[in-house]
């Protein structure tokens, strides 16, 4: 048996048997990884607060063939600012759930880790959590290779400067100028300024994207479109999306703190 270490973000945890838990992490070294935490339910002292969703931990894994188990798990950053704000917590849930849905297991992606770690950090302090979530989702799709190029119209080759309106369709993988995408109902409608902003954001280093500010309606449209695409391609509803929808409609939120188990799906 070998024990290996990596920094990781806790995505979700569920009970297993009488005394164990299965924890899903997104780690710097191995990407998405699930591991058994033996005795985690019996002895809370051994892994103090280390398996809460959104926590950043220093993880020690024992690995043998396809099995992984938690040897050590030390809390690095608990993101308290997220835990005391239901709306930010709900957005964090969306980040974790999309990370879980879109990444295959044991496929390392340091850029994705940097993106997720930075987004959770920023979500705790930024005045506009929807902006953080939208930037995260678009950059995540780029890292995963599912976002079309936003440099030119796919049909006529026009640059951003040459058209006032643009359409980005995740479903068809097309980025089109107004003349060639306007007829399509599906897709994210972007004015020239928003299209140029996305272009700059996608060229910036992952850790520097949080200064970009989307127009309010654009952030909401992006979140809606990416969530719809993720649900379609994974054939699973996003629980965090439904919670955010309920909060937006005012039927939930306020002082009520959403339970993490309601947000984060079990593996
Ligand atoms: Zn065109």
């Amino acid at each position: 048996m070998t024990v290996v270490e990596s920094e990781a973000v806790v995505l979700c945890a569920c009970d297993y048997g009488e005394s164990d838990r299965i924890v899903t992490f997104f780690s710097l070294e191995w990407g998405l990884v699930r591991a058994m935490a033996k005795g985690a339910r019996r002895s809370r002292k051994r892994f103090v607060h280390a398996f809460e969703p959104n926590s950043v931990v220093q993880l020690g894994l024992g690995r043998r063939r396809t099995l992984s188990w938690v040897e050590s798990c030390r809390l690095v950053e608990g993101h308290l600012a997220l835990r005391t704000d239901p709306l930010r917590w709900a957005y964090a849930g969306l980040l974790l759930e999309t990370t879980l849905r879109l990444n295959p297991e044991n496929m390392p992606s340091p850029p994705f880790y940097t993106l997720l770690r930075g987004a959770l950090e920023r979500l705790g302090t930024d005045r506009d959590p929807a902006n953080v979530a939208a930037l995260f989702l678009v950059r995540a799709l780029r890292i995963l290779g599912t976002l079309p190029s936003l440099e030119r119209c796919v049909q006529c080759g026009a640059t951003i400067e040459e058209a006032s309106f643009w359409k980005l369709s995740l479903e068809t993988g097309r980025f089109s100028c107004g003349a060639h995408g306007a007829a399509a109902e599906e897709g994210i409608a972007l004015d020239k300024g928003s299209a140029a902003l996305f272009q700059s954001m996608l060229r910036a280093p992952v850790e520097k994207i949080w200064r970009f500010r989307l127009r309010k309606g654009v952030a909401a449209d992006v979140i809606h479109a990416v969530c719809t695409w993720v649900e379609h391609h994974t054939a699973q509803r996003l629980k965090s999306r439904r919670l955010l929808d309920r909060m937006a409609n005012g039927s939930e939120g306020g002082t009520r703190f959403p339970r993490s188990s309601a947000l984060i799906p079990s593996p």
Side-chain angles (χ1 to χ4, degrees):
M1 177 199 91
T2 48
V3 177
V4 285
E5 286 223 354
S6 174
E7 196 182 276
V9 172
V10 179
L11 300 185
C12 57
C14 63
D15 292 341
Y16 185 82
E18 294 269 299
S19 59
D20 305 335
R21 304 198 87 193
I22 293 174
V23 191
T24 307
F25 303 90
F26 194 84
S27 64
L28 177 61
E29 295 291 330
W30 321 292
L32 191 74
V33 63
R34 292 178 211 277
M36 178 82 76
K38 286 213 165 283
R41 295 174 68 192
R42 210 179 293 139
S43 166
R44 301 266 173 197
K45 259 185 280 177
R46 193 171 163 215
F47 304 112
V48 185
H49 301 310
F51 297 147
E52 296 289 326
N54 296 312
S55 287
V56 179
V57 296
Q58 184 65 29
L59 175 66
L61 279 192
R63 307 196 90 175
R64 189 185 290 141
R65 294 196 193 93
T66 55
L67 286 176
S68 297
W69 61 96
V70 180
E71 279 290 322
S72 62
C73 192
R74 183 175 56 78
L75 188 66
V76 174
E77 170 58 63
H79 291 306
L80 282 180
L82 296 178
R83 293 175 202 286
T84 50
D85 183 326
L87 185 64
R88 289 174 198 276
W89 185 256
Y91 276 112
L94 182 64
L95 269 48
L96 299 193
E97 204 179 2
T98 46
T99 298
L100 184 65
R101 293 272 174 267
L102 294 175
N103 285 278
E105 282 188 52
N106 298 307
M107 183 81 82
S109 177
F112 200 104
Y113 184 79
T114 305
L115 178 71
L116 177 62
R117 177 96 156 80
L120 292 174
E121 190 79 45
R122 187 73 184 210
L123 210 47
T125 56
D126 198 284
R127 65 183 151 87
D128 185 2
N131 190 70
V132 178
L135 293 176
F136 168 86
L137 292 171
V138 171
R139 192 63 187 246
L141 292 186
R142 171 51 53 84
I143 292 171
L144 292 160
T146 52
L147 192 74
S149 166
L150 305 192
E151 296 296 321
R152 288 169 176 278
C153 172
V154 70
Q155 198 160 329
C156 69
T159 63
I160 300 275
E161 283 309 310
E162 291 170 323
S164 304
F165 294 99
W166 293 84
K167 192 68 121 351
L168 166 61
S169 166
L170 299 174
E171 224 29 73
T172 60
R174 290 169 65 93
F175 181 62
S176 324
C177 74
H180 296 118
E185 270 182 36
E186 182 267 340
I188 307 164
L190 299 170
D191 59 284
K192 187 193 274 188
S194 298
L197 183 144
F198 273 118
Q199 226 180 39
S200 306
M201 186 275 275
L202 290 166
R203 288 176 186 153
V206 171
E207 57 277 17
K208 298 237 167 91
I209 64 170
W210 312 113
R211 63 190 166 88
F212 291 96
R213 292 276 158 203
L214 301 167
R215 288 194 299 108
K216 205 121 205 136
V218 173
D221 286 355
V222 165
I223 293 170
H224 174 80
V226 177
C227 285
T228 302
W229 183 85
V230 171
E231 289 184 340
H232 183 219
H233 281 262
T234 58
Q236 278 187 74
R237 301 283 296 275
L238 291 165
K239 293 179 183 179
S240 49
R241 177 191 198 176
R242 272 175 288 169
L243 176 67
L244 280 164
D245 286 345
R246 286 203 301 275
M247 288 176 129
N249 295 331
S251 59
E252 190 151 347
T255 53
R256 224 177 107 194
F257 189 78
R259 290 181 56 227
S260 56
S261 58
L263 264 179
I264 317 296
S266 301

